[in-house]
Amino acid sequence: MTKSIYLVSLSFFVTPFALAALPNDPLAAKVQEMNIGLGSEVQTLDLQKCTETGCSDVLGKLFEGLVQSDENDIIKPAQAESWKISADGKKYTFTLRKDIKWSDGTMITAHDFVYSLRRLVDPKVAAEHSYLFEGVVNGKDITQGKKPLESLGVKAIDDHILEITLKYPIAYFLEVLAMPNTFPVQKKSIEKYGEGSFTHVGNLVSNGPFVLNYRKNGDKITLTKNNKYWNKENIYLEKVNYFPTEDLNAEYRMFLSGQLHKTLQVPVDLYKSIKVKNARELRTKPYLSTYFYIFNLENPKFKDKNLRKALSMVADRKIITDTVLGMGQKPLYDYIPYGMKNYTQNKPDWADWSRKQQLEEAKKLYAAAGYSKEKPLKLQILYNTSESHKKIASTVASMWKKELGVEVETVNEEWKTMLDKRSVGQFEIMRMGNVATINDAYDFFTNLQSTNVSNDPKFKNSEYDKYFALSEVELNPSKRKELQEQLGRIIIEEVPVITLYSGTTNYLLKESVQGFKENVKNKYSLTGVYLREEKNKS
């Protein structure tokens, strides 16, 4: 990516908008155009195929599902105005709003949701997140090609009533329906433009507060207000520009120059100075995310779990969180982040040992695996472009080299290239992270289920699968908590991943931005958000 993309023209700040809906605020800016840092390039705008936070953020503004999760992480009505759940917890009946339309002006009906939810489990679409509907009647069998799409437990009673039937009660099902993968896509546009082109500018028909106006890799994604949206009176922004900003220092310069109203993150190196210089604009808070390294368990090097354990023991989490990052992250050994509902984190026995004891035991395990400083393990850490990822990889590599003699090559790839290598297992150890899409430990644990296509380490463990299946159908909160915490203990014992920390969100937001709120999943709505006139314009 060239740095020239960050030298964005400011001419759009003086483009007038007609018929703008403005809040009751005399200080509201005449031009309601917000610019947001995005991170890596968005790989897809196909709802059912989105697996990343970047596409999820953008798609969450273009589309809307049956329900939504608000700033307090409470499920609220969205395209559905109400719903009923049967006494046995297996049947959900949604009543759609009467005034919901696609951005092309055509009415949205329950049939659109049936089509889209079938598309999520369609094996021809091969959506990674099809597992979200495994608990719906016939969902898993359809994904595996055993039953036809029409047998999915989703039915349009009429144009405004949608019924979803589950195989078993699912405690978190409404949260699943707040995920973009379950939002509706327009059948007509997919049939007209085809699977590969319906997401293009001019083709994409959406149902959320914004529509797609412009998209070009290396430049930006531009959304404009959807005047067909049912709640358009509370959408004050007329335009939103998302800028890919993998270079966090460049992103910070864009913020300082007024080219961005919100950054995705802040540079690790500059955090302390930003905390002073931009104190009124800096937002720091915990959110439901974990940062970890995954092993490629199909690689013979990592078959020995005691070797994996030795590498985990040597990785000093506290140095990474306090010295390398220093941005409020918490050291973590469990796969589940701090703050998740109905879950208490586990840690291995050795986590409370002295550093000397940890290193002595790690060296014994390393030697038992057949390695020594004379015959070192050679491995590669793969990470995507980011200064913080680079610092963490260098630090962990240095720890492994110093204490065990491991020869480590750290390799940086662009996000898409890394994802391509992940999909074909072309890695040894890879930097990954989980950001909660639902506030339930299931959201993380499902990724290590042996049959899940998102099981990147290729972790296969029958005990894990057994406890996962039991936890999935258990509605008693205390019993479900016990089952899920057992899953956490299995991961710690088997070490398919090395979890390093529980995350925080650190970003900059201009004081001119009003009404901006995010929840513990770091998700935000732009409903009610508007800009005030800048106090000091350059």
Side-chain angles (χ1 to χ4, degrees):
M1 182 185 301
T2 61
K3 292 189 177 181
S4 62
I5 67 167
Y6 299 109
L7 303 178
V8 183
S9 168
L10 296 183
S11 61
F12 47 65
F13 282 104
V14 297
T15 303
F17 291 102
L19 304 176
L22 293 176
N24 185 22
D25 183 347
L27 299 179
K30 292 183 176 63
V31 175
Q32 292 292 323
E33 181 169 355
M34 187 171 177
N35 302 301
I36 300 173
L38 183 61
S40 301
E41 294 279 2
V42 167
Q43 299 304 309
T44 182
L45 289 180
D46 185 329
L47 281 166
Q48 278 72 55
K49 293 183 179 180
C50 171
T51 61
E52 310 153 35
T53 55
C55 64
S56 179
D57 280 348
V58 174
L59 288 169
K61 314 304 177 289
L62 290 169
F63 291 88
E64 186 174 81
L66 293 164
V67 299
Q68 57 191 338
S69 180
D70 71 7
E71 66 270 18
N72 297 312
D73 211 23
I74 296 171
I75 297 295
K76 298 288 182 68
Q79 294 279 288
E81 64 182 11
S82 63
W83 57 88
K84 295 178 182 177
I85 305 173
S86 63
D88 64 3
K90 294 182 182 180
K91 187 169 289 185
Y92 287 66
T93 305
F94 295 89
T95 300
L96 302 186
R97 297 180 187 276
K98 300 296 189 294
D99 55 347
I100 50 176
K101 296 179 181 179
W102 292 108
S103 55
D104 65 2
T106 57
M107 298 302 297
I108 296 173
T109 71
H111 301 281
D112 292 305
F113 284 91
V114 172
Y115 170 78
S116 305
L117 295 173
R118 285 177 179 174
R119 187 171 183 268
L120 176 62
V121 298
D122 188 343
K124 292 180 181 178
V125 175
E128 278 193 43
H129 282 11
S130 61
Y131 68 85
L132 293 170
F133 257 47
E134 285 187 354
V136 176
V137 168
N138 294 328
K140 189 171 185 177
D141 286 339
I142 294 169
T143 300
Q144 295 176 347
K146 297 177 181 177
K147 290 191 176 179
L149 279 177
E150 294 73 25
S151 67
L152 184 67
V154 178
K155 181 168 63 174
I157 304 301
D158 58 33
D159 282 352
H160 300 290
I161 305 294
L162 179 74
E163 183 180 275
I164 301 177
T165 305
L166 310 182
K167 290 188 291 186
Y168 43 79
I170 299 176
Y172 51 84
F173 189 64
L174 284 175
E175 291 214 39
V176 168
L177 296 177
M179 293 178 61
N181 306 95
T182 68
F183 293 2
V185 288
Q186 191 189 60
K187 179 181 179 181
K188 182 174 67 174
S189 65
I190 293 179
E191 291 178 343
K192 179 178 180 179
Y193 299 110
E195 287 282 346
S197 301
F198 82 94
T199 60
H200 292 178
V201 176
N203 298 351
L204 188 64
V205 178
S206 58
N207 72 324
F210 296 92
V211 295
L212 181 65
N213 180 263
Y214 174 85
R215 180 189 179 192
K216 183 178 180 182
N217 282 350
D219 188 5
K220 62 183 176 180
I221 296 174
T222 298
L223 315 182
T224 52
K225 182 175 176 178
N226 177 12
N227 288 314
K228 304 297 182 183
Y229 180 56
W230 69 271
N231 194 25
K232 62 182 179 294
E233 290 79 9
N234 291 307
I235 303 300
Y236 305 126
L237 296 173
E238 291 292 328
K239 183 182 284 190
V240 182
N241 300 294
Y242 284 96
F243 293 92
T245 49
E246 288 184 346
D247 184 336
L248 295 183
N249 287 293
E251 183 187 46
Y252 180 49
R253 291 194 294 271
M254 290 176 71
F255 183 83
L256 292 179
S257 68
Q259 292 176 276
L260 288 180
H261 294 96
K262 178 190 177 297
T263 67
L264 178 71
Q265 300 177 52
V266 298
V268 176
D269 288 348
L270 300 177
Y271 178 75
K272 289 182 180 178
S273 63
I274 288 173
K275 201 171 179 181
V276 176
K277 182 178 179 181
N278 304 99
R280 294 170 64 90
E281 298 166 314
L282 178 64
R283 292 198 174 188
T284 299
K285 59 182 285 189
Y287 82 114
L288 300 179
S289 70
T290 53
Y291 188 103
F292 52 87
Y293 284 153
I294 62 173
F295 291 100
N296 183 346
L297 298 180
E298 293 185 336
N299 188 313
K301 290 182 183 180
F302 305 118
K303 291 297 183 184
D304 186 342
K305 77 174 182 182
N306 285 322
L307 173 63
R308 304 195 299 268
K309 184 177 179 180
L311 294 172
S312 181
M313 293 176 81
V314 172
D316 192 325
R317 279 83 168 163
K318 192 165 179 60
I319 286 178
I320 291 169
T321 58
D322 295 2
T323 305
V324 178
L325 299 174
M327 301 168 73
Q329 297 89 347
K330 294 179 66 175
L332 184 66
Y333 301 90
D334 201 295
Y335 191 54
I336 305 302
Y338 291 108
M340 189 72 80
K341 291 177 184 175
N342 200 39
Y343 189 88
T344 300
Q345 279 64 30
N346 301 279
K347 62 181 178 180
D349 293 340
W350 54 262
D352 293 325
W353 296 355
S354 68
R355 186 61 177 158
K356 181 181 178 182
Q357 287 177 295
Q358 291 175 349
L359 295 177
E360 286 176 352
E361 180 64 16
K363 288 172 183 176
K364 289 178 185 177
L365 295 173
Y366 184 70
Y371 297 102
S372 64
K373 290 196 174 181
E374 294 70 37
K375 184 190 172 184
L377 170 68
K378 297 179 181 179
L379 58 81
Q380 183 187 91
I381 297 175
L382 181 63
Y383 64 92
N384 59 295
T385 305
S386 164
E387 191 61 29
S388 62
H389 299 336
K390 179 180 179 180
K391 285 178 175 294
I392 293 169
S394 298
T395 300
V396 172
S398 177
M399 291 172 180
W400 288 345
K401 175 65 175 177
K402 177 184 176 185
E403 305 301 343
L404 299 177
V406 181
E407 294 182 3
V408 185
E409 178 189 14
T410 59
V411 178
N412 166 56
E413 297 281 11
E414 294 300 315
W415 178 241
K416 184 180 185 304
T417 303
M418 194 182 86
L419 290 182
D420 290 342
K421 290 188 173 183
R422 180 194 68 168
S423 67
V424 296
Q426 192 180 339
F427 68 93
E428 294 186 343
I429 294 177
M430 180 183 289
R431 191 292 310 178
M432 289 300 291
N434 272 348
V435 177
T437 50
I438 62 175
N439 195 339
D440 191 281
Y442 163 88
D443 191 34
F444 285 55
F445 284 136
T446 188
N447 293 326
L448 293 179
Q449 187 189 18
S450 62
T451 57
N452 194 314
V453 294
S454 297
N455 184 346
D456 297 319
K458 300 298 184 283
F459 178 56
K460 310 287 185 185
N461 184 282
S462 58
E463 282 289 292
Y464 184 91
D465 289 345
K466 180 184 78 173
Y467 283 108
F468 180 85
L470 290 171
S471 71
E472 196 172 18
V473 299
E474 180 60 65
L475 287 181
N476 182 294
S478 61
K479 290 181 180 178
R480 191 161 182 269
K481 183 175 188 288
E482 290 175 10
L483 290 167
Q484 290 191 321
E485 288 171 5
Q486 178 60 24
L487 292 173
R489 286 189 285 272
I490 291 173
I491 293 172
I492 287 174
E493 175 60 27
E494 296 299 320
V495 206
V497 304
I498 299 176
T499 307
L500 297 176
Y501 63 79
S502 184
T504 55
T505 176
N506 297 276
Y507 63 89
L508 290 161
L509 186 73
K510 292 289 186 184
E511 291 184 80
S512 59
V513 180
Q514 303 295 303
F516 187 92
K517 299 173 183 176
E518 73 281 73
N519 60 29
V520 291
K521 298 192 291 272
N522 206 28
K523 295 299 180 184
Y524 60 90
S525 165
L526 293 178
T527 301
V529 175
Y530 68 97
L531 304 178
R532 280 184 166 177
E533 293 291 352
E534 294 276 3
K535 293 180 181 178
N536 297 306
K537 286 191 174 183
S538 56

